[in-house]
Amino acid sequence: ELQAIENAVSTRYAETEKVKANPGLDKAENNLAVSKQKIEEKNNKFHELDVKRKKLEDTVGTHDEKIKSNESKLFSGTITDPKELSNYQEEIQMFKNSNSKLEDEILEIMEEQDMAKPEIEALKEEMIGLDSIVLRIKNEMDEKLEGLKHNIEGLKKRKEDVVSRIPGDYLKKYNDLKTKKGGIAVSVIKDNFCSACNMEIPSIETERFVDSDEIYRCPICGRMSVLYRSEMDEIKKELES
């Protein structure tokens, strides 16, 4: 029973590591990271366009103020010099021409931003979905890990009870063999086969294996051995549940 319990504990620890090394989570987190990167790039591009548009709008506003100022001077009646009047008119026209080009550029930027908005919204929806997948996988992992932790704790308590009922000299022998034999100190002899080394034991040896309460030694692998009995299957089934 002690060997079966320790085997079950080792199995649960292996299951724990398998749950932690979830390739599905790695893939989901990678997809989420890619989605976030795409959104960040789109948002940065949108922001750059916004900054550029505002600068152009500020320039148009400055030009409008200069046009207004020049027109005010033109119509004030204080300027009589034909050359000066011409200079003001040319400057007004220059600012208007410049504003016309700037406004066309602003319109192009606004159109580009309008086209980008649905893409950004779609990426946000995608990111929300991917984030939900990551959260679901993590919750499932946490639930499995908590179940395994609880199971391991129960097995360890059961092990303590079993160990307390094993004589000290047998327990020392068990631990010594476990260290030497890769963690498996006890085997079960069934149909003349050793469960640990999977070798058939010669009939001359098995003839002395008659007492189900006795501890023998496998003549092939040297492990402590006990004869099979049906309650062993019940114990194994109970530990696997």
Side-chain angles (χ1 to χ4, degrees):
E1 186 175 359
L2 175 58
Q3 183 70 74
I5 291 170
E6 291 193 337
N7 290 348
V9 170
S10 295
T11 299
R12 298 300 184 277
Y13 276 126
E15 290 173 1
T16 297
E17 292 305 311
K18 187 177 180 180
V19 170
K20 288 180 179 179
N22 190 326
L25 177 60
D26 292 339
K27 182 179 179 180
E29 287 182 328
N30 183 63
N31 289 339
L32 179 59
V34 170
S35 181
K36 287 181 177 179
Q37 179 65 28
K38 287 180 180 178
I39 290 176
E40 185 177 354
E41 289 173 357
K42 287 288 183 181
N43 281 333
N44 288 341
K45 178 64 176 176
F46 193 91
H47 177 69
E48 289 172 5
L49 290 171
D50 223 30
V51 171
K52 185 177 180 180
R53 177 180 58 81
K54 288 177 181 179
K55 285 183 178 179
L56 293 173
E57 288 173 346
D58 289 342
T59 302
V60 170
T62 300
H63 288 178
D64 284 339
E65 290 177 4
K66 289 181 178 180
I67 291 170
K68 186 177 180 180
S69 175
N70 286 354
E71 286 178 341
S72 176
K73 291 176 182 178
L74 280 176
F75 300 116
S76 67
T78 58
I79 302 174
T80 57
D81 184 356
K83 187 176 181 179
E84 189 176 0
L85 284 170
S86 177
N87 288 340
Y88 276 115
Q89 289 172 340
E90 288 178 2
E91 191 174 71
I92 288 170
Q93 190 59 47
M94 180 189 70
F95 284 133
K96 285 183 177 181
N97 291 341
S98 177
N99 276 1
S100 179
K101 292 179 180 179
L102 292 173
E103 286 166 355
D104 287 343
E105 193 172 349
I106 289 169
L107 184 60
E108 289 176 2
I109 290 173
M110 292 175 68
E111 289 174 349
E112 188 174 350
Q113 286 183 307
D114 286 341
M115 290 177 64
K117 285 177 182 178
E119 294 180 30
I120 292 173
E121 289 304 314
L123 284 171
K124 284 181 179 178
E125 289 297 322
E126 179 186 89
M127 187 185 71
I128 291 171
L130 292 170
D131 191 53
S132 176
I133 292 172
V134 170
L135 182 62
R136 174 180 58 79
I137 293 174
K138 285 184 175 180
N139 286 338
E140 289 174 354
M141 284 176 61
D142 289 341
E143 186 177 345
K144 289 179 183 178
L145 290 172
E146 186 61 30
L148 287 166
K149 179 183 176 183
H150 179 74
N151 191 266
I152 289 170
E153 288 173 352
L155 288 170
K156 286 182 176 180
K157 288 180 181 178
R158 181 167 177 172
K159 176 184 173 180
E160 290 174 2
D161 177 64
V162 172
V163 167
S164 69
R165 293 185 278 113
I166 298 176
D169 55 339
Y170 279 97
L171 188 61
K172 183 179 184 305
K173 186 177 181 181
Y174 171 87
N175 287 326
D176 288 345
L177 276 171
K178 187 173 70 172
T179 301
K180 295 175 183 176
K181 300 292 183 178
I184 305 298
V186 176
S187 69
V188 176
I189 305 300
K190 183 180 180 182
D191 298 329
N192 293 353
F193 277 87
C194 170
S195 65
C197 63
N198 295 317
M199 297 296 289
E200 185 176 8
I201 299 172
S203 298
I204 193 171
E205 294 286 347
T206 57
E207 286 176 358
R208 60 188 181 86
F209 295 173
V210 293
D211 189 348
S212 61
D213 289 325
E214 184 65 35
I215 296 177
Y216 299 97
R217 179 182 289 272
C218 173
I220 299 172
C221 66
R223 290 179 172 87
M224 301 168 71
S225 302
V226 292
L227 290 177
Y228 167 80
R229 48 191 183 189
S230 60
E231 56 260 41
M232 291 178 180
D233 292 332
E234 295 175 8
I235 290 172
K236 184 178 179 182
K237 185 177 180 180
E238 182 183 349
L239 294 173
E240 289 175 350
S241 62

